[in-house]
Amino acid sequence: MARACLEFEKPFARLEEEIRELEQDQRSRNVDHSAEIRSIRHNLVAMIRKTYDALTPWEIVQVARHPDRPQTADYIKAFVKDFKELRGDRLFRDDRAVVCGLGRIGGEKVAIVGHQKGRDTREKVACFFGCAHPEGYRKALRVMRLAEKFGLPVVALIDTQGAYPGIGAEERGIADSIAVNLREMTLLGVPIVGAIIGEGASGGYLGIGVGDRLLMLEHAYCSVITPEGCAAILWRTAERAPEAAEALHLTAPYLKQYGVIDEIVPEPLGGAHRNPREMATTLERRIGRHLRELKRIPLEELLEERYQKIRSVGVAIEAPAGLPTPEP
């Protein structure tokens, strides 16, 4: 199946098509094209590296939204062992925009909460494109309280453009559900490791975004609002989204400097969508390491460090000339 292609990725697709044609000709006619294929592959890798080293903030947003980018369900399938999904908030219904359950990561028993956008049209509609209702955040809190009861760390995978903006969500108290989660996650008596795997925008991100460690994939983004929403408010047109993305400082290096995130997780060459298996392996190792570190911290000290971490977010308001890069 052909990979979805962003505008700036089209030159890659052309080279990949050339490679496929040469390989097909090599098989069908028994002709040796190995030297030519190696040369094209070398050029392809160089082109991808050069392009991704110079992505604009708006292009990073596009990568974070790539149709083939791994989602919460993909990571659960890749590295969560013995996963058991828990559904429903016990008040209204099950919100498929939020996936919750119990399982093991790197041998550690954990509770998992995460946004799910969906793949095909039917699933996207069922998941509200990853935009959760109040019942989604209440389900997440129900599972996190269960984790606290049994002493299980919480892992949160964040990937949303925001909470669902419909009338029903407002009627059922979306603002209250997010506010309650913010308070309760601040006080939760178990370690919490979060990871922004794609989009982390608005209150939809905050509803499961409080914790002791917050990781962010290299080509993910995080902001108080999406670039389109920002542009629509400031300039009355979403066409200026690229300009808004630049001004919002929503990329991982800025957020690391501002104290919003704790670690930038490197992605495979060309983004997580080009090698989901490698991305899952890297993310599993990073989450596992932080879980092991946090388990050694006494609870009283853990909660105090969490409090101080939240208080210190945004203290640095000027970005330095040299921004942090992903740790190898």
Side-chain angles (χ1 to χ4, degrees):
M1 192 166 109
R3 182 188 292 120
C5 190
L6 301 175
E7 186 63 33
F8 61 85
E9 291 182 316
K10 288 181 178 178
F12 313 160
R14 286 192 287 269
L15 289 181
E16 288 170 333
E17 181 59 29
E18 286 184 37
I19 292 171
R20 282 192 294 270
E21 290 175 356
L22 287 171
E23 289 176 337
Q24 176 62 30
D25 187 61
Q26 191 168 249
R27 286 190 297 269
S28 61
R29 297 176 52 213
N30 198 26
V31 179
D32 184 15
H33 293 303
S34 56
E36 189 174 356
I37 290 172
R38 279 197 302 272
S39 176
I40 296 174
R41 286 192 190 280
H42 177 79
N43 292 338
L44 174 62
V45 169
M47 182 185 293
I48 293 174
R49 180 170 286 111
K50 181 178 180 181
T51 300
Y52 270 77
D53 283 347
L55 290 179
T56 67
W58 178 240
E59 288 171 336
I60 288 175
V61 172
Q62 303 309 302
V63 175
R65 296 173 176 171
H66 197 287
D68 296 331
R69 191 173 180 85
Q71 299 182 19
T72 293
D74 300 311
Y75 289 119
I76 289 174
K77 184 177 180 180
F79 61 71
V80 179
K81 309 299 182 186
D82 304 320
F83 179 70
K84 179 65 175 178
E85 186 174 0
L86 302 176
R87 301 193 179 197
D89 68 336
R90 301 297 185 266
L91 292 171
F92 186 68
R93 67 175 178 189
D94 182 52
D95 185 352
R96 289 184 58 187
V98 177
V99 176
C100 300
L102 305 175
R104 300 171 187 267
I105 297 178
E108 301 284 344
K109 295 179 181 178
V110 298
I112 300 139
V113 298
H115 299 103
Q116 178 67 16
K117 291 180 173 179
R119 286 293 179 197
D120 57 30
T121 301
R122 179 175 295 183
E123 188 183 6
K124 287 177 180 177
V125 171
C127 294
F128 302 99
F129 296 82
C131 298
H133 287 71
E135 50 270 22
Y137 291 108
R138 289 171 184 147
K139 173 171 69 170
L141 181 57
R142 180 176 74 84
V143 172
M144 288 187 283
R145 283 173 171 161
L146 185 67
E148 182 180 41
K149 180 178 180 180
F150 292 102
L152 303 178
V154 172
V155 174
L157 302 179
I158 298 154
D159 188 13
T160 183
Q161 292 189 14
Y164 191 77
I167 292 175
E170 294 292 343
E171 290 174 338
R172 296 193 297 279
I174 187 65
D176 176 76
S177 66
I178 291 174
V180 169
N181 279 25
L182 286 170
R183 181 191 67 203
E184 295 301 310
M185 291 185 78
T186 302
L187 302 171
L188 202 69
V190 291
I192 307 172
V193 176
I196 303 172
I197 60 174
E199 300 185 83
S202 193
Y205 140 63
L206 292 174
I208 60 171
V210 177
D212 303 293
R213 304 282 170 81
L214 182 58
L215 318 181
M216 183 171 176
L217 270 58
E218 182 181 2
H219 301 309
Y221 84 89
C222 180
S223 175
V224 68
I225 191 171
T226 63
E228 297 94 328
C230 177
I233 291 171
L234 294 181
W235 299 299
R236 302 291 190 268
T237 174
E239 293 181 1
R240 297 181 69 175
E243 188 177 344
E246 187 77 36
L248 285 167
H249 286 189
L250 44 67
T251 57
Y254 280 118
L255 295 165
K256 178 73 161 60
Q257 174 62 28
Y258 297 154
V260 176
I261 64 170
D262 300 290
E263 182 179 347
I264 303 172
V265 181
E267 297 191 22
L269 180 66
H273 59 279
R274 296 187 72 87
N275 197 333
R277 181 176 296 181
E278 181 184 336
M279 185 70 258
T281 299
T282 301
L283 184 58
E284 178 187 14
R285 289 173 178 168
R286 299 301 175 98
I287 291 174
R289 173 165 58 82
H290 286 288
L291 287 174
R292 290 188 294 273
E293 290 175 0
L294 292 170
K295 280 183 67 177
R296 293 194 290 266
I297 302 175
L299 178 57
E300 185 176 342
E301 184 180 340
L302 182 76
L303 293 177
E304 177 61 23
E305 288 183 4
R306 187 184 302 166
Y307 173 78
Q308 294 300 334
K309 169 182 162 56
I310 294 169
R311 293 284 293 174
S312 65
V313 168
V315 171
I317 59 172
E318 292 186 11
L323 292 172
T325 55
E327 298 174 16

